[in-house]
Amino acid sequence: MALRHAVLAALLDGELSGYQLAKAFDVGVANFWYAQPQQLYAELTRLQQQGLVAGREVVQESRPNKRLFHVTDAGLAELEDFTAASARPVFVRDDLMVKVQAADSVDTATLIDQLTERAEIARARIELFEALLRRLRGDRSEEDFLRHGDRIGPYLTCLRGIAFEQENRDWCLRTVAVLEERRHTRARN
Amino acid sequence: MALRHAVLAALLDGELSGYQLAKAFDVGVANFWYAQPQQLYAELTRLQQQGLVAGREVVQESRPNKRLFHVTDAGLAELEDFTAASARPVFVRDDLMVKVQAADSVDTATLIDQLTERAEIARARIELFEALLRRLRGDRSEEDFLRHGDRIGPYLTCLRGIAFEQENRDWCLRTVAVLEERRHTRARN
DNA sequence: GTTACCATGTAAAGAGTTACATGATTTG
DNA sequence: CAAATCATGTAACTCTTTACATGGTAAC
């Protein structure tokens, strides 16, 4: 059960409604996990039943009412246990990689398009993440912030998000370059 | 359905038994996907029923008999379709990131251990992947191989595997450094 | 007026993990 | 004699995705 803990970790930053949480997870600005709104609403309900989060109804006039959730002491204890338990390494698991693996046997035209598009998406995310980093550290330098800041978890995970997307972008562009050169070479022969 | 295509792509390199396939997926040497043996046996059966792969029984004396599978023309066509369809971007989704996100609120001792261990695993995988790259390109230079080699798909995915693991390792080590320094700083105050 | 945003869900299907099962051979 | 390798699966469970569903307000 990983989503549970991702939700708990996300709620450490303060009270959030399901909708706000969904936005954070959706943009990937949460950058350490991704989940869809439906999952989050369901998970919040479960977590509340188990007493790991508590919600309070906020009545709004010009908008639908919402429930704001925060982590309870039991939730914190659960996170503590989770952190102490060991985690297995992860793999990339990307459809694009499967396609590239098969690149020698299939038409590469659309593949090149997809890689280019993916590089662009990665670029956009890097920008987004970098803006988030700046916001998190305020006017401090990164080094200073990481040494003395109160809440560095999100900053550290965001650093990884950026590194991942950079690697992503660079690999896509490199692969496009290789595939395109081969197309031209073949065309000439 | 993603595993289907990963299996098809993996079988492009030649006939494999379920067991051999499982080893490739397990080590992650397939490096573009990961799956467990049970999944693979089930998937091979399904693929065979759908005519996307064909198997032949190989009778062995000192070992149990095995079934060697290869991709059929229908399988190739399926891969072609899959490649043409668009793929959604991926996220990292790593328990370790969830833990780091919560690092300000939980005990970091075991977390530091886990990050260190993960860095070591990443280092080992990088070595493994680099050996695989050397084997794939033979005595050619990377540039030459990527320009004129017959089968570059696995090479390109392996490049990404390495980049991913490097990023992984570096982030873990950086995070450990940050967390450790904060422990010491706090201890002093 | 149409699109985007706020706000919350249910239901079903698909994918992946974990646990359980078996049994022979080879290597140390 | 124990551990690793070869070889193949089933069953139950959890997690994720996709599709469906509703309804008001704000902005262009």
Side-chain angles (χ1 to χ4, degrees):
Chain A
M1 281 205 215
L3 178 59
R4 298 159 64 68
H5 302 109
V7 170
L8 288 173
L11 285 179
L12 289 176
D13 281 318
E15 279 189 325
L16 289 176
S17 68
Y19 185 79
Q20 290 172 304
L21 200 56
K23 284 206 82 169
F25 271 74
D26 177 45
V27 192
V29 155
N31 69 57
F32 63 100
W33 204 266
Y34 165 81
Q36 295 179 329
Q38 303 92 319
Q39 265 180 286
L40 296 173
Y41 284 114
E43 200 61 53
L44 283 170
T45 305
R46 266 194 296 271
L47 285 168
Q48 193 175 26
Q49 276 163 9
Q50 290 164 21
L52 304 182
V53 305
R56 61 187 182 92
E57 183 90 9
V58 174
V59 181
Q60 301 184 115
E61 282 179 14
S62 63
R63 306 209 155 282
N65 295 346
K66 61 183 174 184
R67 289 176 299 150
L68 290 182
F69 294 95
H70 65 267
V71 180
T72 63
D73 289 345
L76 254 181
E78 170 70 27
L79 256 183
E80 191 80 53
D81 288 351
F82 168 70
T83 303
S86 74
R88 239 164 286 98
V90 285
F91 301 86
V92 187
R93 255 186 198 164
D94 185 344
D95 277 358
L96 262 189
M97 289 186 84
V98 176
K99 295 174 183 187
V100 170
Q101 175 84 9
D104 305 292
S105 309
V106 301
D107 178 56
T108 52
T110 53
L111 183 50
I112 287 171
D113 290 346
Q114 286 180 48
L115 285 163
T116 307
E117 195 195 330
R118 181 67 70 86
E120 175 50 30
I121 292 172
R123 197 199 54 70
R125 281 226 271 253
I126 291 167
E127 265 183 25
L128 206 70
F129 287 166
E130 274 171 350
L132 177 60
L133 285 188
R134 281 193 296 274
R135 210 175 70 222
L136 286 171
R137 72 168 174 260
D139 46 7
R140 295 168 157 188
S141 74
E142 180 164 298
E143 204 174 331
D144 183 49
F145 175 75
L146 286 176
R147 220 170 280 197
H148 308 295
D150 289 332
R151 179 109 179 84
I152 59 162
Y155 198 95
L156 289 168
T157 53
C158 193
L159 282 178
R160 173 144 198 216
I162 288 181
F164 176 74
E165 293 298 349
Q166 280 170 345
E167 173 258 294
N168 206 344
R169 179 198 59 194
D170 294 346
W171 178 77
C172 287
L173 294 178
R174 174 84 200 280
T175 301
V176 165
V178 168
L179 292 179
E180 270 186 339
E181 202 195 323
R182 288 169 66 92
R183 278 168 74 81
H184 297 147
T185 309
R186 278 190 197 165
R188 247 179 260 124
N189 294 353
Chain B
M1 279 207 216
L3 178 59
R4 301 159 61 68
H5 302 109
V7 169
L8 289 173
L11 285 178
L12 289 175
D13 281 318
E15 279 189 325
L16 289 177
S17 68
Y19 186 80
Q20 290 172 304
L21 200 57
K23 284 205 82 169
F25 272 72
D26 178 46
V27 192
V29 155
N31 68 57
F32 62 101
W33 204 267
Y34 164 80
Q36 295 178 331
Q38 303 93 316
Q39 267 180 285
L40 295 172
Y41 284 114
E43 200 61 53
L44 283 170
T45 306
R46 267 194 295 270
L47 285 168
Q48 193 175 25
Q49 277 163 8
Q50 292 165 19
L52 304 181
V53 305
R56 60 186 183 92
E57 182 90 9
V58 173
V59 180
Q60 300 184 114
E61 283 179 14
S62 62
R63 304 209 156 283
N65 294 345
K66 61 183 173 183
R67 289 176 299 150
L68 289 182
F69 294 95
H70 65 267
V71 180
T72 63
D73 289 346
L76 253 181
E78 170 69 28
L79 257 183
E80 193 80 53
D81 290 350
F82 169 69
T83 304
S86 73
R88 239 164 284 98
V90 285
F91 301 86
V92 189
R93 255 187 197 164
D94 185 345
D95 276 359
L96 262 188
M97 289 185 85
V98 177
K99 294 175 183 186
V100 169
Q101 175 85 8
D104 305 292
S105 310
V106 300
D107 179 53
T108 52
T110 53
L111 183 51
I112 286 171
D113 289 347
Q114 287 179 48
L115 285 163
T116 307
E117 194 195 331
R118 182 66 71 84
E120 174 52 29
I121 292 172
R123 197 199 53 71
R125 281 226 270 253
I126 291 168
E127 265 183 25
L128 206 69
F129 287 165
E130 274 171 350
L132 177 60
L133 285 188
R134 281 193 297 273
R135 209 176 70 221
L136 286 171
R137 73 169 174 259
D139 47 8
R140 295 167 156 189
S141 73
E142 179 163 297
E143 206 174 327
D144 183 49
F145 174 75
L146 286 176
R147 221 171 280 199
H148 307 294
D150 289 332
R151 179 109 178 85
I152 59 162
Y155 198 93
L156 289 169
T157 52
C158 193
L159 281 178
R160 174 147 197 213
I162 288 180
F164 177 74
E165 294 298 349
Q166 280 171 346
E167 174 256 294
N168 206 344
R169 178 199 59 193
D170 294 346
W171 179 76
C172 287
L173 294 178
R174 174 85 200 280
T175 302
V176 165
V178 169
L179 293 179
E180 269 186 339
E181 202 195 324
R182 288 168 67 91
R183 279 168 74 81
H184 297 148
T185 309
R186 279 190 195 165
R188 248 181 260 122
N189 295 351

